[in-house]
Structures are given as structure tokens and as C-alpha cells.
Amino acid sequence: MTREQDIKNAVEVLRKGGVILYPTDTVWGIGCDATNADAVRRVYQIKQRDDSKALICLVDSDARLQRYVRQVPDVAWQLIDSLKDSDSKPTTLILDGAVNLALNLIADDGSIALRITNEPFSKELCFRFQKALVSTSANISGEPAAQNYSDIDPRLLEAVDYVCWTRRQEHKPHAPSSIIRLRQDGQVSIIRK
């Protein structure tokens, strides 16, 4: 299957409210339409995760990130710009004032975890889908994240609506993203290095 066809199939499933397994800029992810509360609920069920624990969303660009946060703080733009210029580790930003997303995806304090992906497959998938995409690690809650396709629990493969073909043969180490909390008042906290 071509990468183009793989993306087309995944987008079709996402538009119907389905859940997919896909390779990201970090580990393999469980994904769905970040604006669809029913799809988000299914992701929590599949992961067997308490819905009080936040999920990360992927976007393909600065412009798309702005659709989901009321006001992006200046420090976030500085950080995003610095990440573009280097081979730095993928970094997820937790930002206040989440908007235009499924309510069960937004933390109790109104924040959302977003990451701009630069990995070719997930970036193209987000671009073609034209919305934020849930990106939580492909594992049952409490178990290790699937670094490669071969690490994915068979129960997850059965539970989702589509499993992407791209990068299935890959066998190399991948790690979760760094997570940085940026508050409107400029306060910065490193949640995960």
C-alpha cells in the first residue's frame, strides 16, 4: 500500500468518527478526531484509561495550533521557533484556554496538550484531515508505550477501526515527547524531559 492510500484510508475512518493506530513523531499512537467527543470516549475505553488523565493532540502547523487555543503566549511561539531550527526532541506544549475541541479532551483547568509534528506521515495525516488529531501512546494504560508496530498489544489492534501500514517494518528506538506547561502569565514548568 502506498503512503498516499494509507493516509486516505485513515482520514476516511477519522471523518466517520473512527479510531486509528498510526506512527507519529514519537511512539505509535492511538488517534481520533479531537473535536469528536464520542471518538475521544472510545480512545479512553480502548486504552482502559481514566478520562481525568489528559490526552495529547497533534497538529501540522502553527496556524492549526492557533485554532485550538484562545491565546497562545509569546513564550510558546519562541519555543516553537527554537524547536523548528534544531534536531530537538518532539515537544508537547500544555496551553491554557483550549477551544474548538471535544469537551472530554480538555483538562479541568481548561488546558490542552498540543504538539506540532514534523514527522512526514503524521504531518501529512494532520494536514489532510484538517483538524487536530488525538495522539496518545498505543498501549493499555500502565503498560509500556509501543515504540514500533511490533510492540503494539494485539488487543489494541482488534479494538481500533484502522491500523496504518506506513512504518510497520521499522525497528528502532522511539521515546515519548518532552512535555512543557506554559501558563498565560509566562510561568514555564517542565512536566516530562
Side-chain angles (χ1 to χ4, degrees):
M1 178 182 300
T2 65
R3 190 176 92 164
E4 180 73 24
Q5 187 60 49
D6 201 15
I7 288 171
K8 186 177 175 187
N9 293 349
V11 167
E12 196 173 297
V13 169
L14 292 166
R15 287 196 176 130
K16 292 178 181 171
V19 175
I20 65 169
L21 280 171
Y22 67 110
T24 75
D25 53 341
T26 59
V27 296
W28 269 72
I30 301 173
C32 73
D33 177 349
T35 67
N36 182 326
D38 291 334
V40 170
R41 194 172 302 109
R42 269 195 65 214
V43 169
Y44 279 115
Q45 290 168 348
I46 289 168
K47 270 188 77 83
Q48 300 172 28
R49 183 175 181 155
D50 182 350
D51 65 9
S52 67
K53 292 184 177 178
L55 300 175
I56 291 170
C57 294
L58 281 189
V59 292
D60 63 318
S61 65
D62 299 1
R64 190 119 31 230
L65 180 130
Q66 290 181 85
R67 286 188 192 175
Y68 302 111
V69 179
R70 199 166 278 116
Q71 182 183 346
V72 180
D74 290 341
V75 68
W77 292 125
Q78 294 165 11
L79 187 56
I80 288 166
D81 286 343
S82 73
L83 294 170
K84 285 179 188 170
D85 298 335
S86 66
D87 268 346
S88 56
K89 184 176 183 182
T91 301
T92 300
L93 303 179
I94 300 175
L95 301 168
D96 292 327
V99 292
N100 304 320
L101 293 163
L103 293 179
N104 55 347
L105 196 55
I106 299 171
D108 290 342
D109 66 1
S111 66
I112 189 66
L114 290 162
R115 184 168 73 250
I116 300 170
T117 179
N118 289 312
E119 182 274 328
F121 182 83
S122 55
K123 188 175 187 77
E124 182 73 9
L125 180 61
C126 289
F127 174 75
R128 292 289 178 86
F129 187 52
Q130 295 284 297
K131 292 183 190 178
L133 192 59
V134 166
S135 181
T136 183
S137 56
N139 61 312
I140 304 292
S141 192
E143 294 181 7
Q147 293 185 37
N148 296 287
Y149 172 78
S150 59
D151 302 324
I152 299 173
D153 187 308
R155 293 174 289 177
L156 295 180
L157 297 172
E158 292 293 319
V160 301
D161 303 302
Y162 183 74
V163 181
C164 291
W165 288 89
T166 302
R167 292 179 44 201
R168 281 194 188 187
Q169 303 307 315
E170 188 175 86
H171 292 284
K172 63 182 189 179
H174 294 279
S177 68
S178 297
I179 300 177
I180 299 175
R181 175 75 161 100
L182 302 175
R183 297 197 182 272
Q184 281 298 338
D185 63 7
Q187 185 182 343
V188 177
S189 311
I190 296 172
I191 308 295
R192 181 170 71 199
K193 281 191 172 191

